[in-house]
């Protein structure tokens, strides 16, 4: 480092710190001033309560003034909160950009949010158009797009800073986006119970997805540790910044794989200065829309993984296929319509003939779903009556009830079983996890779905957990653009071929983007994990670490206790024991008081504990410093389902990975010549 440059950078940092403090004080004064105005307005209202007429312009004016002042204070408080966070680390990088036809380069410092002094920008918000230059390319000729059009020029410098406790520790000049030294330092840190923002280490391929200008359906196929969910969170932040006049946080919905995962990502957007979007799970949506008891995905996985019956695998394979959806669509467009049996309806002098109803339902409205045909029929019946317009809605409601009585059955399970019969598939008496989406599609066709999950942008995480029927249902529920994220190699109840993505893209009218670089695990863990999978899927950052350990033991509990004891010097390290099933968890905790202290991570129960015990299904998407996989025998992990389970479990580890077996280790852990 050049000493003169270092001193200049330290002086600039001090200036930014002073300006942040000044801005915080100014906002605090504005808040105080508004509070005094609110207090005065409320006092005026109280003193003149009996003199001000209810509904008068004066009353409305006082209320509007109070409301505007309170809204202003919310914005000022949000700004103070953001500046307070940024005061610890006001920026992380700098790039110098010389616009075409300008004499000199303009230094641009980039941080979590905007810091201005009068008309001068001291720190740019990382989401600003110009900041794409920092993330996108190397030094040299470049351009960025803004509302004024394309701005061309030269990037003459890229610099990264390490700022700790308000001190500039060092800087690094690099022609790369993120220098390896800083990236490695970030990746080497211990895992946290919450996901954090990654604005200082966003990579080029991640930045492209975050800043995509189109609102098209997009599938992101990303290897384990490629930052898929982080990208999704930062994309939300970018969209809220870029389209702040058209898009609010409540307009965005995140479909999370589980409640614990929703909790894991909960702090990312607030840390980026945005409100939390609405996050829910498919189970929650299904509960509201279906109104029936059903088997959850978590219960299904425990049953299928534990018992591994051929019949279950066949059922999953059929119901998760594109062919199954194709057959269901044909059923919904044709067979289900024949459940309606038109009959002549007589209301005194008013007669609606069987032929009239049949013509409307089967001919004129034949391309519409059933509920729309019934809407048209009920309106047709209502128009026959000479009643005032204000009574039409009530009359239509009664007509609909009569029309639905003309169906052979409207019982969803009975109708679904008729469909299964047509495919010569075993009928159901209870709704299984893979029956929920097709039954909801039947309900949507028959009655429509009263959806309370409106959104302008939807993110679906862990897309490999859903079937073509789910995706077709999502298109019915949300007409807006969707971002689908996942990894077909992390499917734990079926094997998805590479062609799956192309078929899914065709069905959802999506473009496919691939993320092939993994940033989570050490090189040793990543290479070993891919050997489990049986083929190369990921490129790695070159972060070396400890070798993966495959241990033999007579006693699982004692072997794990020994590992924990050996790792006591690793302060703050999170350790996860990932068992195949909940039965294995019970067995381990029953045999050891020490392991009984480990907190269970389930689909509905999150924990901030450093010592976790869980299953692959519940560990997906989360990461830990050290992962221990017991019961890793060939008897226990022997087929393709088991291979996927091992891969998912192994890729949860950041720094250290252990496999423990009492007998011969799984065939997927053995080196092949």
């Amino acid at each position: 480092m050049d000493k003169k440059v270092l001193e200049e950078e330290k002086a600039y940092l001090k200036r930014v710190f002073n300006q942040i403090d000044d801005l915080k004080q100014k906002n605090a004064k504005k808040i105080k001033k508004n509070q005094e105005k609110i207090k005065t307005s409320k006092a005026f209202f109280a003193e003149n309560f009996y003199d001000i007429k209810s509904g008068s312009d004066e009353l409305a004016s006082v209320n509007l003034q109070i409301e505007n002042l309170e809204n202003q204070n919310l914005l000022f408080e949000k700004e103070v909160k953001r500046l307070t966070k940024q005061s610890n680390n006001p920026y992380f990088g700098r790039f110098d950009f010389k616009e075409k036809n300008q004499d000199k380069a303009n230094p641009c410092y980039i941080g979590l949010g905007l810091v201005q002094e009068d008309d001068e920008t001291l720190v740019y918000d990382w989401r600003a158009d110009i900041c794409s230059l920092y993330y996108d390319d190397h030094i040299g000729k470049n351009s960025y797009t803004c509302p004024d059009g394309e701005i061309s020029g030269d990037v003459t410098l890229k610099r990264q800073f390490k700022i700790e406790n308000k001190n500039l520790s060092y800087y690094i000049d690099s022609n790369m986006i993120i220098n390896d030294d800083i990236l490695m330092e970030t990746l080497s840190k211990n895992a946290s119970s919450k996901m954090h923002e990654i604005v200082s280490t966003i990579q080029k391929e991640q930045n492209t997805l975050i800043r995509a200008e189109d609102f098209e359906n997009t599938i992101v196929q990303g290897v384990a540790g490629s930052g898929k969910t982080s990208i999704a969170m930062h994309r939300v932040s970018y969209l809220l910044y870029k389209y702040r006049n058209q898009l609010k946080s409540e307009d965005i919905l995140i479909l999370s794989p589980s409640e614990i995962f929703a909790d894991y990502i909960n702090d990312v957007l607030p840390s980026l200065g945005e409100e939390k979007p609405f996050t829910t799970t498919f189970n929650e949506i299904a509960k509201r829309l279906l109104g029936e008891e059903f088997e959850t995905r978590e219960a299904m996985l425990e049953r299928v993984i534990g018992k591994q019956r051929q019949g279950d695998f066949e059922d999953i394979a059929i119901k998760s296929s594109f062919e199954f959806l194709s057959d269901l669509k044909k059923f919904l467009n044709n067979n289900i319509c024949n459940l309606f049996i038109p009959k002549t309806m007589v209301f005194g002098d008013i007669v609606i003939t069987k032929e009239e109803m049949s013509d409307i339902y089967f001919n004129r409205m034949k391309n519409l779903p059933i509920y729309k045909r019934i809407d048209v029929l009920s309106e047709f019946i209502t128009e026959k009556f000479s009643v005032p317009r204000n009574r039409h809605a009530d009359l239509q409601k009664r007509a609909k009830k009569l029309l639905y009585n003309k169906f052979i059955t409207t019982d969803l399970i009975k109708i679904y079983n008729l469909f299964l019969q047509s495919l010569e598939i075993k009928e159901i008496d209870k709704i299984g996890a893979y029956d929920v989406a097709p039954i909801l599609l039947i309900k949507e066709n028959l009655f429509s779905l009263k959806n309370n999950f409106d959104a302008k942008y939807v993110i679906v995480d862990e897309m490999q957990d859903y079937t073509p029927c789910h995706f077709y249902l999502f298109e019915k529920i949300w007409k807006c653009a969707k971002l689908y994220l996942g990894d077909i190699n992390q499917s734990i109840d079926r094997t998805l071929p590479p062609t799956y993505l192309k078929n899914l893209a065709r069905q959802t009218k999506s473009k496919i983007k691939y993320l092939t670089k993994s940033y989570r695990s050490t090189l040793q863990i990543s290479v070993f994990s891919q050997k489990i999978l049986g083929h190369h899927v990921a490129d790695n950052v070159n972060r070396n670490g400890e070798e993966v350990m495959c241990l033999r033991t007579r006693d699982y509990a004692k072997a794990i206790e020994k590992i924990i004891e050996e790792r006591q010097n690793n302060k703050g390290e999170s350790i996860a024991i990932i068992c195949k099933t909940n039965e294995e968890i019970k067995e381990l905790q029953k045999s050891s008081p020490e392991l009984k202290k480990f907190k269970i991570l389930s689909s509905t129960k999150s924990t901030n504990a450093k010592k976790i015990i869980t299953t692959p299904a519940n560990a997906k998407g989360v990461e830990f410093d050290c992962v221990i996989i017991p019961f890793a025998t060939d008897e226990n992990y022997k087929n393709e389902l088991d291979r996927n389970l091992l891969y998912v479990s192994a890729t949860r580890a950041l720094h250290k990975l252990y496999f423990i077996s009492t007998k011969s280790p799984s065939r997927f852990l053995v080196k092949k010549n």
Side-chain angles (χ1 to χ4, degrees):
M1 286 188 297
D2 186 304
K3 284 187 179 180
K4 185 183 175 185
V5 173
L6 184 62
E7 289 308 311
E8 288 173 352
E9 290 293 4
K10 283 183 175 179
Y12 191 85
L13 180 61
K14 186 177 180 182
R15 180 187 173 191
V16 174
F17 278 136
N18 290 338
Q19 181 59 14
I20 287 174
D21 288 340
D22 188 45
L23 289 170
K24 283 167 64 180
Q25 288 173 23
K26 283 179 180 176
N27 278 303
K29 285 178 183 176
K30 289 176 185 174
I31 291 167
K32 188 177 180 182
K33 189 176 178 181
N34 278 355
Q35 285 172 338
E36 288 169 359
K37 286 182 181 177
I38 291 167
K39 189 177 178 181
T40 303
S41 296
K42 286 182 176 178
F44 170 81
F45 179 74
E47 288 168 13
N48 298 277
F49 181 77
Y50 293 104
D51 298 326
I52 300 173
K53 291 180 181 178
S54 177
S56 69
D57 290 342
E58 190 176 10
L59 177 62
S61 177
V62 172
N63 282 334
L64 183 62
Q65 185 183 23
I66 291 171
E67 186 181 344
N68 287 338
L69 290 168
E70 286 175 340
N71 286 336
Q72 280 180 19
N73 272 3
L74 286 174
L75 292 174
F76 293 143
E77 285 165 5
K78 183 180 177 182
E79 186 67 359
V80 168
K81 191 175 178 182
R82 194 264 300 172
L83 287 166
T84 301
K85 178 178 172 60
Q86 201 166 343
S87 64
N88 295 320
N89 192 354
Y91 50 83
F92 50 83
R94 165 187 166 178
F95 61 99
D96 292 4
F97 183 61
K98 187 171 89 67
E99 284 187 33
K100 196 175 180 181
N101 301 325
Q102 283 194 347
D103 295 332
K104 62 176 185 175
N106 178 40
C108 302
Y109 289 79
I110 178 171
L112 203 59
L114 179 70
V115 180
Q116 285 184 306
E117 186 177 47
D118 299 324
D119 293 330
E120 184 182 355
T121 298
L122 299 184
V123 181
Y124 284 90
D125 189 305
W126 69 276
R127 298 167 292 185
D129 293 326
I130 194 171
C131 291
S132 63
L133 295 170
Y134 179 78
Y135 294 112
D136 272 353
D137 280 302
H138 296 201
I139 286 173
K141 291 193 181 299
N142 211 329
S143 65
Y144 70 94
T145 305
C146 66
D148 294 331
E150 187 177 29
I151 309 295
S152 300
D154 285 289
V155 176
T156 60
L157 173 77
K158 281 196 178 181
R159 181 170 289 166
Q160 289 172 263
F161 302 100
K162 181 66 178 177
I163 300 169
E164 292 178 306
N165 301 320
K166 296 197 171 184
N167 289 312
L168 176 56
S169 303
Y170 60 85
Y171 72 85
I172 296 173
D173 286 347
S174 171
N175 70 339
M176 303 299 288
I177 304 158
I178 304 298
N179 185 277
D180 277 353
D181 294 342
I182 289 179
L183 179 60
M184 291 305 159
E185 185 179 336
T186 304
L187 297 177
S188 297
K189 289 180 179 177
N190 283 343
S192 166
S193 60
K194 297 282 188 179
M195 181 179 281
H196 297 297
E197 50 86 5
I198 58 164
V199 292
S200 62
T201 56
I202 291 170
Q203 302 294 293
K204 181 178 178 179
E205 73 276 11
Q206 296 172 330
N207 184 59
T208 301
L209 285 167
I210 290 167
R211 292 175 185 266
E213 291 300 319
D214 57 72
F215 272 85
E216 295 177 8
N217 285 359
T218 304
I219 291 170
V220 177
Q221 160 58 32
V223 297
S226 56
K228 296 180 291 293
T229 307
S230 285
I231 289 167
M233 296 297 102
H234 288 71
R235 172 144 180 80
V236 169
S237 176
Y238 175 76
L239 292 175
L240 291 173
Y241 172 86
K242 181 87 173 176
Y243 304 100
R244 47 192 172 277
N245 295 326
Q246 302 112 287
L247 201 63
K248 305 298 178 193
S249 58
E250 58 265 29
D251 296 326
I252 295 171
L253 182 141
I254 298 174
L255 192 62
S256 186
S258 66
E259 289 174 34
I260 59 149
F261 193 74
D263 184 59
Y264 178 60
I265 64 174
N266 212 19
D267 291 346
V268 179
L269 279 163
S271 74
L272 292 167
E274 301 294 349
E275 299 297 322
K276 296 174 187 176
F278 179 56
T279 305
T280 189
T281 63
F282 181 72
N283 281 351
E284 285 301 312
I285 289 176
K287 276 179 194 173
R288 283 201 224 175
L289 296 182
L290 194 56
E292 302 267 357
E293 289 295 316
F294 60 87
E295 179 188 43
T296 64
R297 177 172 170 78
E298 293 72 34
M300 179 272 290
L301 287 173
E302 182 67 17
R303 171 174 57 80
V304 171
I305 291 168
K307 294 181 180 177
Q308 298 213 5
R309 293 181 299 215
Q310 186 59 31
D312 289 333
F313 292 144
E314 289 172 1
D315 192 56
I316 289 170
I318 291 168
K319 293 176 182 177
S320 64
S321 67
F322 288 97
E323 291 76 16
F324 186 79
L325 173 61
S326 179
D327 288 331
L328 180 61
K329 283 181 180 178
K330 289 173 187 171
F331 179 81
L332 294 174
N333 291 333
N334 300 298
N335 308 49
I336 193 173
C337 305
N338 297 324
L339 293 174
F340 179 66
I341 309 296
K343 290 180 182 176
T344 299
M345 298 171 75
V346 181
F347 306 94
D349 295 336
I350 297 168
V351 178
I352 294 98
T353 67
K354 169 185 170 181
E355 288 73 22
E356 284 177 309
M357 284 201 288
S358 186
D359 181 50
I360 292 170
Y361 182 88
F362 288 108
N363 296 328
R364 286 194 262 169
M365 300 295 133
K366 66 180 179 181
N367 294 322
L368 295 179
I370 288 171
Y371 74 89
K372 287 191 176 177
R373 301 186 198 197
I374 296 300
D375 281 345
V376 173
L377 271 173
S378 63
E379 200 174 318
F380 173 75
I381 292 168
T382 302
E383 292 295 334
K384 295 281 186 180
F385 290 83
S386 301
V387 295
R389 270 281 160 198
N390 60 1
R391 286 192 56 202
H392 271 225
D394 182 54
L395 204 57
Q396 265 188 271
K397 191 176 177 181
R398 289 158 72 182
K400 276 187 189 181
K401 192 174 180 181
L402 289 170
L403 289 166
Y404 275 115
N405 284 336
K406 306 294 180 192
F407 281 80
I408 295 170
T409 180
T410 56
D411 184 287
L412 296 176
I413 295 179
K414 285 182 180 177
I415 295 172
Y416 182 56
N417 278 332
L418 287 173
F419 167 63
L420 295 180
Q421 276 177 29
S422 70
L423 300 180
E424 298 182 354
I425 297 173
K426 184 183 175 185
E427 295 175 39
I428 64 163
D429 49 13
K430 292 179 181 177
I431 302 173
Y434 277 150
D435 300 316
V436 178
I439 290 175
L440 278 173
L441 285 167
I442 290 170
K443 185 173 183 179
E444 192 276 335
N445 188 289
L446 198 58
F447 301 110
S448 90
L449 296 173
K450 290 171 179 59
N451 172 34
N452 297 321
F453 302 96
D454 289 339
K456 292 180 181 176
Y457 193 73
V458 173
I459 293 170
V460 178
D461 209 348
E462 300 291 347
M463 65 178 181
Q464 70 277 2
D465 290 354
Y466 301 105
T467 69
C469 284
H470 285 102
F471 289 106
Y472 188 58
L473 179 66
F474 297 157
E475 294 296 321
K476 295 281 185 184
I477 297 174
W478 301 294
K479 304 297 183 187
C480 60
K482 285 167 279 293
L483 178 62
Y484 299 114
L485 307 143
D487 179 11
I488 58 173
N489 297 306
Q490 293 185 64
S491 174
I492 58 176
D493 58 350
R494 59 204 161 115
T495 299
L496 299 175
T499 53
Y500 178 82
L501 288 174
K502 289 182 180 178
N503 290 332
L504 183 60
R506 197 177 299 115
Q507 179 191 314
T508 57
K509 296 180 174 63
S510 301
K511 59 183 180 183
I512 308 174
K513 297 292 182 180
Y514 294 90
L515 294 171
T516 58
K517 197 164 189 176
S518 178
Y519 299 94
R520 177 184 294 142
S521 307
T522 62
L523 189 62
Q524 287 79 1
I525 292 170
S526 186
V527 169
F528 196 98
S529 300
Q530 290 181 79
K531 284 180 180 175
I532 291 171
L533 202 57
H535 57 277
H536 176 82
V537 293
D539 300 318
N540 295 85
V541 292
N542 195 25
R543 182 168 72 88
N544 276 301
E546 300 177 56
E547 291 296 331
V548 175
M549 302 290 288
C550 295
L551 307 175
R552 289 283 291 271
T553 184
R554 291 182 180 179
D555 188 315
Y556 285 114
K558 285 183 180 177
I560 295 170
E561 286 169 0
K562 187 179 177 184
I563 291 170
I564 294 163
E565 189 180 341
E566 288 171 353
R567 301 198 69 82
Q568 280 181 348
N569 292 331
N570 296 41
K571 301 289 183 184
E573 180 181 67
S574 61
I575 298 177
I577 303 168
I578 304 183
C579 297
K580 187 175 176 179
T581 63
N582 286 315
E583 286 302 314
E584 288 184 2
I585 292 176
K586 288 175 187 174
E587 184 182 331
L588 272 184
Q589 292 198 315
K590 189 178 178 182
S591 62
S592 166
E594 177 65 28
L595 300 187
K596 207 166 187 177
K597 295 175 187 175
F598 274 61
K599 299 295 181 184
I600 296 174
L601 187 70
S602 69
S603 62
T604 56
K605 190 166 68 174
S606 64
T607 175
N608 295 327
K610 288 291 183 181
K611 292 180 179 179
I612 302 288
I613 190 164
T614 188
T615 62
N618 293 323
K620 258 200 312 183
V622 190
E623 55 191 32
F624 309 94
D625 297 311
C626 172
V627 167
I628 302 167
I629 303 170
F631 307 100
T633 63
D634 194 53
E635 188 180 13
N636 199 28
Y637 289 96
K638 58 183 181 292
N639 57 34
E640 287 303 306
L641 170 67
D642 298 326
R643 183 203 289 271
N644 291 355
L645 292 170
L646 277 178
Y647 177 72
V648 169
S649 300
T651 53
R652 300 309 94 207
L654 273 76
H655 312 305
K656 187 63 182 177
L657 175 61
Y658 297 88
F659 295 91
I660 309 175
S661 60
T662 50
K663 300 174 185 176
S664 297
S666 168
R667 63 198 67 183
F668 306 120
L669 304 178
V670 177
K671 288 182 181 178
K672 296 177 179 65
N673 294 326

